[in-house]
Amino acid sequence: MSFFKNFFKSPKSSEEEQDSSEKSTYSPDVNLPLDELFVHNFRANGGKFLYCDSLSEVKEQFINILEENDWFECEATCFEPVLFSLLEENKLNFQEAKNPKFHLCTCESLTADEGSVVLSEKQIKHLKPNEISSNIIIFGTTSQLVRTKTDGLREIKKKYVTNYPSNITSIKNFSNNIASQENFLSYGSCSKNLYLLLLEDL
């Protein structure tokens, strides 16, 4: 998806960024390419977006997040073995965390039309959104981009076939200033300080 590379190689002026933000917040163009629509809506929701073109860059950006928030050698939560090495390499306690500073996880899909992230029991177990740390770092890939939540649910069905996960929820409120719109996927949602490490895999 060349949009991401172009997006980060050509920084916009402050006037252009303001204009883009206003458009994405009040009148997003649903005909935009999938990746561009997601970035605009995700940022309009208050999400922090970090594009990575390799796994080594994912690790580098993860360390940058830790430095920015002074989260080194603190407690975190993570339920996915594939991500444990990121925490172990940075001496973060995640086995029996009592006061986690953040939650690290993957996601099921990234929904472009509302700039949201879909999670399930695979990432958060039985926890409700308000029971997860207020700080979340998500590792996602460009192949997980879908246009709508319906498309996302369809992809979950394909991925898990008979072992369909429970506790599917959508998080799209990444700022205290943005009110959430309740529906069956975002019920009980709350504002999160969310970082997305997005790996280009297409």
Side-chain angles (χ1 to χ4, degrees):
M1 295 195 172
S2 59
F3 164 73
F4 290 111
K5 292 177 182 177
N6 293 334
F7 190 85
F8 288 98
K9 282 182 180 177
S10 305
K12 296 179 179 179
S13 67
S14 57
E15 288 184 5
E16 288 175 314
E17 286 179 351
Q18 183 178 359
D19 183 57
S20 175
S21 176
E22 289 173 358
K23 287 180 181 176
S24 64
T25 303
Y26 301 109
S27 57
D29 183 356
V30 295
N31 296 317
L32 287 172
L34 197 62
D35 48 3
E36 190 171 349
L37 182 63
F38 173 76
V39 171
H40 282 300
N41 289 336
F42 179 79
R43 285 188 159 177
N45 290 343
K48 298 171 183 176
F49 175 84
L50 298 164
Y51 169 74
C52 307
D53 59 13
S54 67
L55 285 172
S56 61
E57 192 169 356
V58 169
K59 292 183 178 182
E60 182 182 333
Q61 294 287 15
F62 180 71
I63 291 172
N64 289 339
I65 294 171
L66 298 181
E67 288 179 345
E68 178 183 331
N69 295 280
D70 194 21
W71 286 342
F72 283 109
E73 299 185 22
C74 71
E75 293 185 328
T77 52
C78 180
F79 307 129
E80 300 169 88
V82 69
L83 297 176
F84 288 174
S85 62
L86 268 178
L87 298 168
E88 291 168 343
E89 289 169 6
N90 292 286
K91 299 180 181 179
L92 298 166
N93 176 22
F94 61 95
Q95 297 296 349
E96 296 181 6
K98 295 179 181 177
N99 186 29
K101 293 292 186 182
F102 66 91
H103 180 73
L104 174 66
C105 64
T106 61
C107 63
E108 296 296 345
S109 62
L110 303 166
T111 310
D113 69 350
E114 62 179 25
S116 66
V117 178
V118 176
L119 307 174
S120 77
E121 66 171 317
K122 304 296 182 181
Q123 292 86 35
I124 58 175
K125 292 193 173 181
H126 62 281
L127 300 176
K128 295 177 182 177
N130 61 358
E131 297 173 323
I132 309 168
S133 172
S134 59
N135 302 303
I136 303 177
I137 302 175
I138 290 182
F139 171 52
T141 61
T142 52
S143 61
Q144 291 179 303
L145 286 165
V146 295
R147 187 161 292 274
T148 67
K149 274 189 285 199
T150 300
D151 295 331
L153 291 172
R154 191 177 298 117
E155 289 302 313
I156 292 175
K157 270 190 172 181
K158 285 182 188 177
K159 180 179 179 180
Y160 296 104
V161 190
T162 56
N163 189 25
Y164 197 76
S166 61
N167 197 23
I168 299 172
T169 188
S170 175
I171 300 177
K172 66 175 180 179
N173 186 13
F174 315 129
S175 168
N176 289 324
N177 297 323
I178 301 172
S180 62
Q181 299 176 359
E182 284 194 358
N183 54 55
F184 81 103
L185 277 179
S186 61
Y187 177 73
S189 67
C190 52
S191 177
K192 299 293 182 184
N193 175 35
L194 191 143
Y195 292 86
L196 174 62
L197 297 169
L198 186 65
L199 175 66
E200 173 70 70
D201 68 341
L202 291 176

PDB file of all heavy atoms in Angstrom, residues 111-147:
ATOM      1  N   THR A 111     -10.929  -1.205  11.078  1.00  0.00           N
ATOM      2  CA  THR A 111     -12.105  -0.814  10.309  1.00  0.00           C
ATOM      3  C   THR A 111     -11.961   0.602   9.767  1.00  0.00           C
ATOM      4  O   THR A 111     -11.909   1.572  10.537  1.00  0.00           O
ATOM      5  CB  THR A 111     -13.373  -0.913  11.175  1.00  0.00           C
ATOM      6  OG1 THR A 111     -13.402  -2.194  11.812  1.00  0.00           O
ATOM      7  CG2 THR A 111     -14.618  -0.752  10.332  1.00  0.00           C
ATOM      8  N   ALA A 112     -11.914   0.717   8.449  1.00  0.00           N
ATOM      9  CA  ALA A 112     -11.618   2.003   7.812  1.00  0.00           C
ATOM     10  C   ALA A 112     -12.737   3.021   7.942  1.00  0.00           C
ATOM     11  O   ALA A 112     -12.472   4.202   8.175  1.00  0.00           O
ATOM     12  CB  ALA A 112     -11.292   1.781   6.333  1.00  0.00           C
ATOM     13  N   ASP A 113     -13.998   2.604   7.797  1.00  0.00           N
ATOM     14  CA  ASP A 113     -15.073   3.593   7.726  1.00  0.00           C
ATOM     15  C   ASP A 113     -15.323   4.324   9.038  1.00  0.00           C
ATOM     16  O   ASP A 113     -15.973   5.354   9.062  1.00  0.00           O
ATOM     17  CB  ASP A 113     -16.367   2.992   7.176  1.00  0.00           C
ATOM     18  CG  ASP A 113     -17.022   2.003   8.133  1.00  0.00           C
ATOM     19  OD1 ASP A 113     -16.388   1.628   9.145  1.00  0.00           O
ATOM     20  OD2 ASP A 113     -18.172   1.600   7.868  1.00  0.00           O
ATOM     21  N   GLU A 114     -14.777   3.803  10.150  1.00  0.00           N
ATOM     22  CA  GLU A 114     -14.916   4.523  11.403  1.00  0.00           C
ATOM     23  C   GLU A 114     -13.597   4.634  12.165  1.00  0.00           C
ATOM     24  O   GLU A 114     -13.569   5.115  13.298  1.00  0.00           O
ATOM     25  CB  GLU A 114     -15.997   3.892  12.281  1.00  0.00           C
ATOM     26  CG  GLU A 114     -15.718   2.471  12.694  1.00  0.00           C
ATOM     27  CD  GLU A 114     -16.818   1.901  13.583  1.00  0.00           C
ATOM     28  OE1 GLU A 114     -17.974   2.378  13.498  1.00  0.00           O
ATOM     29  OE2 GLU A 114     -16.520   0.985  14.364  1.00  0.00           O
ATOM     30  N   GLY A 115     -12.507   4.190  11.563  1.00  0.00           N
ATOM     31  CA  GLY A 115     -11.199   4.312  12.196  1.00  0.00           C
ATOM     32  C   GLY A 115     -11.090   3.569  13.504  1.00  0.00           C
ATOM     33  O   GLY A 115     -10.452   4.038  14.450  1.00  0.00           O
ATOM     34  N   SER A 116     -11.689   2.376  13.573  1.00  0.00           N
ATOM     35  CA  SER A 116     -11.720   1.612  14.818  1.00  0.00           C
ATOM     36  C   SER A 116     -10.852   0.365  14.752  1.00  0.00           C
ATOM     37  O   SER A 116     -10.403  -0.047  13.682  1.00  0.00           O
ATOM     38  CB  SER A 116     -13.159   1.221  15.167  1.00  0.00           C
ATOM     39  OG  SER A 116     -13.674   0.317  14.199  1.00  0.00           O
ATOM     40  N   VAL A 117     -10.645  -0.237  15.929  1.00  0.00           N
ATOM     41  CA  VAL A 117      -9.864  -1.470  16.049  1.00  0.00           C
ATOM     42  C   VAL A 117     -10.762  -2.532  16.657  1.00  0.00           C
ATOM     43  O   VAL A 117     -11.403  -2.306  17.687  1.00  0.00           O
ATOM     44  CB  VAL A 117      -8.641  -1.244  16.961  1.00  0.00           C
ATOM     45  CG1 VAL A 117      -7.852  -2.534  17.117  1.00  0.00           C
ATOM     46  CG2 VAL A 117      -7.750  -0.139  16.409  1.00  0.00           C
ATOM     47  N   VAL A 118     -10.837  -3.702  16.017  1.00  0.00           N
ATOM     48  CA  VAL A 118     -11.674  -4.797  16.520  1.00  0.00           C
ATOM     49  C   VAL A 118     -10.808  -5.817  17.246  1.00  0.00           C
ATOM     50  O   VAL A 118      -9.810  -6.304  16.709  1.00  0.00           O
ATOM     51  CB  VAL A 118     -12.458  -5.472  15.370  1.00  0.00           C
ATOM     52  CG1 VAL A 118     -13.253  -6.668  15.890  1.00  0.00           C
ATOM     53  CG2 VAL A 118     -13.400  -4.470  14.703  1.00  0.00           C
ATOM     54  N   LEU A 119     -11.194  -6.119  18.493  1.00  0.00           N
ATOM     55  CA  LEU A 119     -10.499  -7.086  19.330  1.00  0.00           C
ATOM     56  C   LEU A 119     -11.446  -8.219  19.710  1.00  0.00           C
ATOM     57  O   LEU A 119     -12.663  -8.073  19.604  1.00  0.00           O
ATOM     58  CB  LEU A 119      -9.990  -6.419  20.612  1.00  0.00           C
ATOM     59  CG  LEU A 119      -9.135  -5.154  20.471  1.00  0.00           C
ATOM     60  CD1 LEU A 119      -8.843  -4.557  21.844  1.00  0.00           C
ATOM     61  CD2 LEU A 119      -7.832  -5.455  19.746  1.00  0.00           C
ATOM     62  N   SER A 120     -10.881  -9.334  20.167  1.00  0.00           N
ATOM     63  CA  SER A 120     -11.693 -10.450  20.641  1.00  0.00           C
ATOM     64  C   SER A 120     -11.020 -11.077  21.849  1.00  0.00           C
ATOM     65  O   SER A 120     -10.008 -10.581  22.341  1.00  0.00           O
ATOM     66  CB  SER A 120     -11.867 -11.495  19.530  1.00  0.00           C
ATOM     67  OG  SER A 120     -10.684 -12.280  19.398  1.00  0.00           O
ATOM     68  N   GLU A 121     -11.574 -12.182  22.303  1.00  0.00           N
ATOM     69  CA  GLU A 121     -10.984 -12.892  23.449  1.00  0.00           C
ATOM     70  C   GLU A 121      -9.538 -13.304  23.182  1.00  0.00           C
ATOM     71  O   GLU A 121      -8.762 -13.508  24.121  1.00  0.00           O
ATOM     72  CB  GLU A 121     -11.805 -14.145  23.777  1.00  0.00           C
ATOM     73  CG  GLU A 121     -11.762 -15.194  22.673  1.00  0.00           C
ATOM     74  CD  GLU A 121     -12.390 -16.517  23.094  1.00  0.00           C
ATOM     75  OE1 GLU A 121     -12.130 -16.964  24.220  1.00  0.00           O
ATOM     76  OE2 GLU A 121     -13.139 -17.085  22.288  1.00  0.00           O
ATOM     77  N   LYS A 122      -9.153 -13.425  21.945  1.00  0.00           N
ATOM     78  CA  LYS A 122      -7.779 -13.798  21.612  1.00  0.00           C
ATOM     79  C   LYS A 122      -6.789 -12.729  22.090  1.00  0.00           C
ATOM     80  O   LYS A 122      -5.649 -13.029  22.410  1.00  0.00           O
ATOM     81  CB  LYS A 122      -7.617 -13.998  20.101  1.00  0.00           C
ATOM     82  CG  LYS A 122      -8.563 -15.024  19.497  1.00  0.00           C
ATOM     83  CD  LYS A 122      -8.319 -16.417  20.041  1.00  0.00           C
ATOM     84  CE  LYS A 122      -9.248 -17.430  19.372  1.00  0.00           C
ATOM     85  NZ  LYS A 122      -9.046 -18.793  19.889  1.00  0.00           N
ATOM     86  N   GLN A 123      -7.235 -11.481  22.112  1.00  0.00           N
ATOM     87  CA  GLN A 123      -6.370 -10.376  22.527  1.00  0.00           C
ATOM     88  C   GLN A 123      -6.628  -9.916  23.969  1.00  0.00           C
ATOM     89  O   GLN A 123      -5.713  -9.483  24.660  1.00  0.00           O
ATOM     90  CB  GLN A 123      -6.554  -9.162  21.603  1.00  0.00           C
ATOM     91  CG  GLN A 123      -6.058  -9.356  20.192  1.00  0.00           C
ATOM     92  CD  GLN A 123      -7.085  -9.999  19.291  1.00  0.00           C
ATOM     93  OE1 GLN A 123      -8.282  -9.762  19.424  1.00  0.00           O
ATOM     94  NE2 GLN A 123      -6.629 -10.829  18.357  1.00  0.00           N
ATOM     95  N   ILE A 124      -7.900 -10.002  24.420  1.00  0.00           N
ATOM     96  CA  ILE A 124      -8.251  -9.425  25.732  1.00  0.00           C
ATOM     97  C   ILE A 124      -8.935 -10.428  26.657  1.00  0.00           C
ATOM     98  O   ILE A 124      -9.434 -10.040  27.731  1.00  0.00           O
ATOM     99  CB  ILE A 124      -9.128  -8.167  25.561  1.00  0.00           C
ATOM    100  CG1 ILE A 124     -10.412  -8.485  24.792  1.00  0.00           C
ATOM    101  CG2 ILE A 124      -8.345  -7.056  24.876  1.00  0.00           C
ATOM    102  CD1 ILE A 124     -11.398  -7.323  24.694  1.00  0.00           C
ATOM    103  N   LYS A 125      -8.998 -11.694  26.236  1.00  0.00           N
ATOM    104  CA  LYS A 125      -9.662 -12.741  27.037  1.00  0.00           C
ATOM    105  C   LYS A 125     -11.101 -12.335  27.340  1.00  0.00           C
ATOM    106  O   LYS A 125     -11.835 -11.933  26.461  1.00  0.00           O
ATOM    107  CB  LYS A 125      -8.851 -13.040  28.292  1.00  0.00           C
ATOM    108  CG  LYS A 125      -7.511 -13.720  27.981  1.00  0.00           C
ATOM    109  CD  LYS A 125      -6.867 -14.284  29.221  1.00  0.00           C
ATOM    110  CE  LYS A 125      -5.621 -15.093  28.840  1.00  0.00           C
ATOM    111  NZ  LYS A 125      -4.973 -15.689  30.030  1.00  0.00           N
ATOM    112  N   HIS A 126     -11.497 -12.412  28.628  1.00  0.00           N
ATOM    113  CA  HIS A 126     -12.883 -12.128  29.021  1.00  0.00           C
ATOM    114  C   HIS A 126     -13.090 -10.660  29.390  1.00  0.00           C
ATOM    115  O   HIS A 126     -14.205 -10.256  29.702  1.00  0.00           O
ATOM    116  CB  HIS A 126     -13.256 -12.982  30.232  1.00  0.00           C
ATOM    117  CG  HIS A 126     -12.401 -12.688  31.430  1.00  0.00           C
ATOM    118  ND1 HIS A 126     -11.120 -13.183  31.564  1.00  0.00           N
ATOM    119  CD2 HIS A 126     -12.627 -11.901  32.520  1.00  0.00           C
ATOM    120  CE1 HIS A 126     -10.600 -12.736  32.698  1.00  0.00           C
ATOM    121  NE2 HIS A 126     -11.482 -11.960  33.293  1.00  0.00           N
ATOM    122  N   LEU A 127     -12.018  -9.861  29.356  1.00  0.00           N
ATOM    123  CA  LEU A 127     -12.094  -8.487  29.841  1.00  0.00           C
ATOM    124  C   LEU A 127     -12.967  -7.593  28.955  1.00  0.00           C
ATOM    125  O   LEU A 127     -12.967  -7.702  27.736  1.00  0.00           O
ATOM    126  CB  LEU A 127     -10.692  -7.882  29.920  1.00  0.00           C
ATOM    127  CG  LEU A 127      -9.700  -8.590  30.850  1.00  0.00           C
ATOM    128  CD1 LEU A 127      -8.335  -7.926  30.746  1.00  0.00           C
ATOM    129  CD2 LEU A 127     -10.194  -8.570  32.288  1.00  0.00           C
ATOM    130  N   LYS A 128     -13.682  -6.686  29.596  1.00  0.00           N
ATOM    131  CA  LYS A 128     -14.425  -5.656  28.881  1.00  0.00           C
ATOM    132  C   LYS A 128     -13.468  -4.489  28.624  1.00  0.00           C
ATOM    133  O   LYS A 128     -12.461  -4.339  29.320  1.00  0.00           O
ATOM    134  CB  LYS A 128     -15.619  -5.189  29.727  1.00  0.00           C
ATOM    135  CG  LYS A 128     -16.656  -6.275  29.958  1.00  0.00           C
ATOM    136  CD  LYS A 128     -17.760  -5.755  30.857  1.00  0.00           C
ATOM    137  CE  LYS A 128     -18.785  -6.854  31.123  1.00  0.00           C
ATOM    138  NZ  LYS A 128     -19.842  -6.396  32.061  1.00  0.00           N
ATOM    139  N   PRO A 129     -13.779  -3.652  27.634  1.00  0.00           N
ATOM    140  CA  PRO A 129     -12.886  -2.525  27.338  1.00  0.00           C
ATOM    141  C   PRO A 129     -12.526  -1.676  28.546  1.00  0.00           C
ATOM    142  O   PRO A 129     -11.385  -1.254  28.703  1.00  0.00           O
ATOM    143  CB  PRO A 129     -13.674  -1.722  26.299  1.00  0.00           C
ATOM    144  CG  PRO A 129     -14.489  -2.746  25.594  1.00  0.00           C
ATOM    145  CD  PRO A 129     -14.884  -3.736  26.661  1.00  0.00           C
ATOM    146  N   ASN A 130     -13.498  -1.437  29.441  1.00  0.00           N
ATOM    147  CA  ASN A 130     -13.203  -0.595  30.608  1.00  0.00           C
ATOM    148  C   ASN A 130     -12.371  -1.314  31.662  1.00  0.00           C
ATOM    149  O   ASN A 130     -11.960  -0.705  32.653  1.00  0.00           O
ATOM    150  CB  ASN A 130     -14.489  -0.029  31.221  1.00  0.00           C
ATOM    151  CG  ASN A 130     -15.434  -1.114  31.716  1.00  0.00           C
ATOM    152  OD1 ASN A 130     -15.151  -2.299  31.579  1.00  0.00           O
ATOM    153  ND2 ASN A 130     -16.547  -0.702  32.289  1.00  0.00           N
ATOM    154  N   GLU A 131     -12.117  -2.609  31.467  1.00  0.00           N
ATOM    155  CA  GLU A 131     -11.282  -3.372  32.399  1.00  0.00           C
ATOM    156  C   GLU A 131      -9.837  -3.500  31.902  1.00  0.00           C
ATOM    157  O   GLU A 131      -8.977  -3.996  32.607  1.00  0.00           O
ATOM    158  CB  GLU A 131     -11.877  -4.769  32.625  1.00  0.00           C
ATOM    159  CG  GLU A 131     -13.252  -4.744  33.288  1.00  0.00           C
ATOM    160  CD  GLU A 131     -13.910  -6.109  33.351  1.00  0.00           C
ATOM    161  OE1 GLU A 131     -13.751  -6.894  32.383  1.00  0.00           O
ATOM    162  OE2 GLU A 131     -14.575  -6.389  34.357  1.00  0.00           O
ATOM    163  N   ILE A 132      -9.607  -3.069  30.680  1.00  0.00           N
ATOM    164  CA  ILE A 132      -8.265  -3.085  30.107  1.00  0.00           C
ATOM    165  C   ILE A 132      -7.563  -1.783  30.500  1.00  0.00           C
ATOM    166  O   ILE A 132      -8.215  -0.767  30.740  1.00  0.00           O
ATOM    167  CB  ILE A 132      -8.323  -3.189  28.566  1.00  0.00           C
ATOM    168  CG1 ILE A 132      -9.215  -4.330  28.127  1.00  0.00           C
ATOM    169  CG2 ILE A 132      -6.932  -3.370  27.968  1.00  0.00           C
ATOM    170  CD1 ILE A 132      -9.535  -4.301  26.656  1.00  0.00           C
ATOM    171  N   SER A 133      -6.255  -1.803  30.529  1.00  0.00           N
ATOM    172  CA  SER A 133      -5.490  -0.587  30.819  1.00  0.00           C
ATOM    173  C   SER A 133      -5.936   0.557  29.910  1.00  0.00           C
ATOM    174  O   SER A 133      -6.328   0.344  28.760  1.00  0.00           O
ATOM    175  CB  SER A 133      -3.993  -0.860  30.602  1.00  0.00           C
ATOM    176  OG  SER A 133      -3.262   0.339  30.700  1.00  0.00           O
ATOM    177  N   SER A 134      -5.886   1.767  30.434  1.00  0.00           N
ATOM    178  CA  SER A 134      -6.280   2.931  29.629  1.00  0.00           C
ATOM    179  C   SER A 134      -5.270   3.210  28.518  1.00  0.00           C
ATOM    180  O   SER A 134      -5.552   3.955  27.580  1.00  0.00           O
ATOM    181  CB  SER A 134      -6.430   4.170  30.513  1.00  0.00           C
ATOM    182  OG  SER A 134      -5.218   4.439  31.177  1.00  0.00           O
ATOM    183  N   ASN A 135      -4.083   2.601  28.608  1.00  0.00           N
ATOM    184  CA  ASN A 135      -3.064   2.713  27.563  1.00  0.00           C
ATOM    185  C   ASN A 135      -2.956   1.381  26.828  1.00  0.00           C
ATOM    186  O   ASN A 135      -2.767   0.335  27.462  1.00  0.00           O
ATOM    187  CB  ASN A 135      -1.703   3.056  28.177  1.00  0.00           C
ATOM    188  CG  ASN A 135      -1.738   4.348  28.973  1.00  0.00           C
ATOM    189  OD1 ASN A 135      -2.091   5.398  28.458  1.00  0.00           O
ATOM    190  ND2 ASN A 135      -1.382   4.262  30.251  1.00  0.00           N
ATOM    191  N   ILE A 136      -3.075   1.415  25.513  1.00  0.00           N
ATOM    192  CA  ILE A 136      -3.006   0.193  24.714  1.00  0.00           C
ATOM    193  C   ILE A 136      -2.035   0.388  23.556  1.00  0.00           C
ATOM    194  O   ILE A 136      -2.069   1.419  22.870  1.00  0.00           O
ATOM    195  CB  ILE A 136      -4.387  -0.190  24.141  1.00  0.00           C
ATOM    196  CG1 ILE A 136      -5.416  -0.356  25.268  1.00  0.00           C
ATOM    197  CG2 ILE A 136      -4.302  -1.483  23.327  1.00  0.00           C
ATOM    198  CD1 ILE A 136      -6.817  -0.670  24.757  1.00  0.00           C
ATOM    199  N   ILE A 137      -1.177  -0.612  23.343  1.00  0.00           N
ATOM    200  CA  ILE A 137      -0.310  -0.629  22.163  1.00  0.00           C
ATOM    201  C   ILE A 137      -0.751  -1.814  21.317  1.00  0.00           C
ATOM    202  O   ILE A 137      -0.742  -2.960  21.793  1.00  0.00           O
ATOM    203  CB  ILE A 137       1.173  -0.779  22.537  1.00  0.00           C
ATOM    204  CG1 ILE A 137       1.620   0.350  23.469  1.00  0.00           C
ATOM    205  CG2 ILE A 137       2.042  -0.780  21.272  1.00  0.00           C
ATOM    206  CD1 ILE A 137       3.049   0.211  23.984  1.00  0.00           C
ATOM    207  N   ILE A 138      -1.157  -1.546  20.096  1.00  0.00           N
ATOM    208  CA  ILE A 138      -1.662  -2.607  19.219  1.00  0.00           C
ATOM    209  C   ILE A 138      -0.711  -2.817  18.048  1.00  0.00           C
ATOM    210  O   ILE A 138      -0.251  -1.860  17.418  1.00  0.00           O
ATOM    211  CB  ILE A 138      -3.075  -2.265  18.710  1.00  0.00           C
ATOM    212  CG1 ILE A 138      -4.066  -2.361  19.875  1.00  0.00           C
ATOM    213  CG2 ILE A 138      -3.496  -3.199  17.578  1.00  0.00           C
ATOM    214  CD1 ILE A 138      -5.493  -2.088  19.509  1.00  0.00           C
ATOM    215  N   PHE A 139      -0.415  -4.073  17.787  1.00  0.00           N
ATOM    216  CA  PHE A 139       0.389  -4.450  16.632  1.00  0.00           C
ATOM    217  C   PHE A 139      -0.566  -4.970  15.560  1.00  0.00           C
ATOM    218  O   PHE A 139      -1.214  -6.005  15.733  1.00  0.00           O
ATOM    219  CB  PHE A 139       1.409  -5.522  17.017  1.00  0.00           C
ATOM    220  CG  PHE A 139       2.142  -6.121  15.845  1.00  0.00           C
ATOM    221  CD1 PHE A 139       2.769  -5.319  14.913  1.00  0.00           C
ATOM    222  CD2 PHE A 139       2.199  -7.495  15.674  1.00  0.00           C
ATOM    223  CE1 PHE A 139       3.443  -5.864  13.832  1.00  0.00           C
ATOM    224  CE2 PHE A 139       2.869  -8.061  14.599  1.00  0.00           C
ATOM    225  CZ  PHE A 139       3.493  -7.241  13.678  1.00  0.00           C
ATOM    226  N   GLY A 140      -0.689  -4.235  14.461  1.00  0.00           N
ATOM    227  CA  GLY A 140      -1.573  -4.630  13.371  1.00  0.00           C
ATOM    228  C   GLY A 140      -0.823  -4.655  12.053  1.00  0.00           C
ATOM    229  O   GLY A 140       0.327  -4.217  11.963  1.00  0.00           O
ATOM    230  N   THR A 141      -1.475  -5.167  11.029  1.00  0.00           N
ATOM    231  CA  THR A 141      -0.871  -5.237   9.693  1.00  0.00           C
ATOM    232  C   THR A 141      -1.825  -4.646   8.657  1.00  0.00           C
ATOM    233  O   THR A 141      -3.045  -4.607   8.872  1.00  0.00           O
ATOM    234  CB  THR A 141      -0.556  -6.696   9.305  1.00  0.00           C
ATOM    235  OG1 THR A 141      -1.776  -7.456   9.270  1.00  0.00           O
ATOM    236  CG2 THR A 141       0.409  -7.329  10.301  1.00  0.00           C
ATOM    237  N   THR A 142      -1.273  -4.213   7.553  1.00  0.00           N
ATOM    238  CA  THR A 142      -2.104  -3.611   6.510  1.00  0.00           C
ATOM    239  C   THR A 142      -3.093  -4.620   5.912  1.00  0.00           C
ATOM    240  O   THR A 142      -4.138  -4.230   5.409  1.00  0.00           O
ATOM    241  CB  THR A 142      -1.229  -3.025   5.385  1.00  0.00           C
ATOM    242  OG1 THR A 142      -0.306  -4.017   4.938  1.00  0.00           O
ATOM    243  CG2 THR A 142      -0.458  -1.815   5.876  1.00  0.00           C
ATOM    244  N   SER A 143      -2.776  -5.910   5.992  1.00  0.00           N
ATOM    245  CA  SER A 143      -3.696  -6.922   5.462  1.00  0.00           C
ATOM    246  C   SER A 143      -4.943  -7.066   6.341  1.00  0.00           C
ATOM    247  O   SER A 143      -5.916  -7.707   5.938  1.00  0.00           O
ATOM    248  CB  SER A 143      -2.991  -8.282   5.353  1.00  0.00           C
ATOM    249  OG  SER A 143      -2.545  -8.729   6.617  1.00  0.00           O
ATOM    250  N   GLN A 144      -4.929  -6.465   7.516  1.00  0.00           N
ATOM    251  CA  GLN A 144      -6.087  -6.527   8.411  1.00  0.00           C
ATOM    252  C   GLN A 144      -7.067  -5.373   8.189  1.00  0.00           C
ATOM    253  O   GLN A 144      -8.089  -5.291   8.854  1.00  0.00           O
ATOM    254  CB  GLN A 144      -5.618  -6.530   9.871  1.00  0.00           C
ATOM    255  CG  GLN A 144      -4.904  -7.818  10.277  1.00  0.00           C
ATOM    256  CD  GLN A 144      -4.430  -7.769  11.719  1.00  0.00           C
ATOM    257  OE1 GLN A 144      -3.676  -6.876  12.105  1.00  0.00           O
ATOM    258  NE2 GLN A 144      -4.871  -8.724  12.517  1.00  0.00           N
ATOM    259  N   LEU A 145      -6.761  -4.493   7.260  1.00  0.00           N
ATOM    260  CA  LEU A 145      -7.663  -3.388   6.963  1.00  0.00           C
ATOM    261  C   LEU A 145      -8.926  -3.894   6.262  1.00  0.00           C
ATOM    262  O   LEU A 145      -8.858  -4.641   5.287  1.00  0.00           O
ATOM    263  CB  LEU A 145      -6.970  -2.362   6.072  1.00  0.00           C
ATOM    264  CG  LEU A 145      -5.927  -1.471   6.748  1.00  0.00           C
ATOM    265  CD1 LEU A 145      -5.081  -0.768   5.693  1.00  0.00           C
ATOM    266  CD2 LEU A 145      -6.589  -0.451   7.664  1.00  0.00           C
ATOM    267  N   VAL A 146     -10.078  -3.488   6.782  1.00  0.00           N
ATOM    268  CA  VAL A 146     -11.375  -3.808   6.162  1.00  0.00           C
ATOM    269  C   VAL A 146     -12.184  -2.523   6.090  1.00  0.00           C
ATOM    270  O   VAL A 146     -11.895  -1.561   6.808  1.00  0.00           O
ATOM    271  CB  VAL A 146     -12.148  -4.880   6.964  1.00  0.00           C
ATOM    272  CG1 VAL A 146     -11.409  -6.215   6.944  1.00  0.00           C
ATOM    273  CG2 VAL A 146     -12.389  -4.433   8.400  1.00  0.00           C
ATOM    274  N   ARG A 147     -13.195  -2.488   5.249  1.00  0.00           N
ATOM    275  CA  ARG A 147     -13.956  -1.245   5.113  1.00  0.00           C
ATOM    276  C   ARG A 147     -14.968  -1.069   6.236  1.00  0.00           C
ATOM    277  O   ARG A 147     -15.106   0.017   6.795  1.00  0.00           O
ATOM    278  CB  ARG A 147     -14.668  -1.199   3.746  1.00  0.00           C
ATOM    279  CG  ARG A 147     -15.350   0.148   3.483  1.00  0.00           C
ATOM    280  CD  ARG A 147     -15.628   0.361   2.014  1.00  0.00           C
ATOM    281  NE  ARG A 147     -14.411   0.524   1.235  1.00  0.00           N
ATOM    282  CZ  ARG A 147     -13.770   1.677   1.062  1.00  0.00           C
ATOM    283  NH1 ARG A 147     -14.212   2.776   1.638  1.00  0.00           N
ATOM    284  NH2 ARG A 147     -12.690   1.732   0.331  1.00  0.00           N
TER     285      ARG A 147
END
